[in-house]
Amino acid sequence: MSDDELLAHLETYYDAVPRGRADTEQIGPLTLFVARSGWPYYARPSLGGASPISVDDVRRVLDRQRKLGVPLSLEWVAETTPGLEQAAMAAGMRVEHCPLLVLEGEPAGGAGTARMLGPGDAADLALSRAAISVSFEAGGIGRGGEGLAARDAARDAPFAQVNDTLRDRLAEGAIRAAAAYVSEQPELGPVGGGSHTPVGAISEIAGVGVLPAFRQRGLAGALTYVLARDALDHGVTTVFCSAQSIDVARIYARVGFRQVATACIASLPTP
């Protein structure tokens, strides 16, 4: 499969994933996904759309998001929709560029202390998601002071909530989660985690994060390995991810991921 064919393949995934728990609104050449519950979504270029996206199209989406009280955000792949960045910036949005990587062959490395979580792991799931929340709040990949106390304090963070919707999605296999532990003290519970979301033969690894106090132990790589291995073992043939930065992309590269494009995330802070 060529990279162009691969990117077209991924566009079908990007369009399909939100539809399980979101309503859609067509706004010109853009599709706005409006979550019925849980984490909010964004707008994306409509699948199969060929019309150029103008700054007025972007402003119409932002106006609708304001009325709905949801984040003012757009996501797309730079190589697939090259003109959208200029339109988003003209509308005042800030654009982040994230390496888009695809797994080539079998994942390299090993599981280490990372493992997949099952239906009986609700407590560990909540702790792992709290750890992820702390990791993303801290940013970067360097060591830091945020450890177990920060994880426990983040139990009430929106991302850490294990609600009925999440439990149902886990039971159905719509999302599959993993956690990582401290090798010498597993009783401390998860210090990191991540997930992948399979749709047919494609799955995206996302939300891989480790508490800053426990970074640089290979835990992020182990989580990525476990998630990629699980995806392949469950019939997925295309495993991909978007990295926050070049430094994060290097971690994925060690597991066997190759950059094929750039994912763009545009946001406009609410006043």
Side-chain angles (χ1 to χ4, degrees), residues 139-200:
I141 63 170
R143 290 286 295 273
E146 299 91 339
L148 299 175
R151 178 199 67 184
D152 295 344
R155 288 289 298 273
D156 293 330
F159 184 77
Q161 301 308 300
V162 181
N163 55 28
D164 289 342
T165 299
L166 179 58
R167 279 189 284 267
D168 289 346
R169 295 185 72 213
L170 286 163
E172 296 164 358
I175 183 172
R176 298 185 59 80
Y181 302 78
V182 180
S183 59
E184 62 273 21
Q185 292 180 287
E187 69 277 6
L188 296 176
V191 297
S195 63
H196 74 90
T197 310
V199 175

Side-chain angles (χ1 to χ4, degrees), residues 3-227:
D3 284 355
D4 286 345
E5 291 171 328
L6 177 60
L7 293 180
H9 199 43
L10 295 185
E11 285 296 317
T12 65
Y13 176 91
Y14 284 129
D15 182 77
V17 164
R19 292 179 182 269
R21 64 178 191 88
D23 298 320
T24 62
E25 296 185 16
Q26 197 65 37
I27 302 176
L30 293 159
T31 299
L32 173 59
F33 296 97
V34 183
R36 292 185 289 272
S37 63
W39 207 254
Y41 281 115
Y42 38 75
R44 289 191 61 84
S46 298
L47 183 64
S51 301
I53 299 174
S54 68
V55 63
D56 287 338
D57 295 322
V58 173
R59 287 173 177 150
R60 287 169 59 202
V61 166
L62 295 175
D63 286 344
R64 181 58 178 154
Q65 289 173 323
R66 285 189 189 94
K67 289 178 182 177
L68 292 170
V70 299
L72 310 181
S73 63
L74 299 172
E75 295 190 9
W76 72 95
V77 175
E79 290 77 2
T80 304
T81 315
L84 182 48
E85 179 166 5
Q86 183 177 356
M89 292 177 66
M93 303 187 80
R94 182 182 70 247
V95 180
E96 298 178 50
H97 302 91
C98 303
L100 177 60
L101 306 100
V102 174
L103 179 67
E104 290 194 323
E106 296 291 312
T113 61
R115 67 175 179 87
M116 297 301 298
L117 298 176
D121 293 316
D124 279 11
L125 177 63
L127 286 174
S128 70
R129 290 174 72 86
I132 293 166
S133 183
V134 172
S135 175
F136 277 82
E137 181 70 23
I141 63 170
R143 290 286 295 273
E146 299 91 339
L148 299 175
R151 178 199 67 184
D152 295 344
R155 288 289 298 273
D156 293 330
F159 184 77
Q161 301 308 300
V162 181
N163 55 28
D164 289 342
T165 299
L166 179 58
R167 279 189 284 267
D168 289 346
R169 295 185 72 213
L170 286 163
E172 296 164 358
I175 183 172
R176 298 185 59 80
Y181 302 78
V182 180
S183 59
E184 62 273 21
Q185 292 180 287
E187 69 277 6
L188 296 176
V191 297
S195 63
H196 74 90
T197 310
V199 175
I202 312 175
S203 193
E204 179 181 18
I205 293 175
V208 174
V210 175
L211 289 170
F214 297 95
R215 289 174 177 172
Q216 299 180 2
R217 300 185 181 199
L219 296 179
L223 283 163
T224 303
Y225 172 88
V226 164
L227 291 164

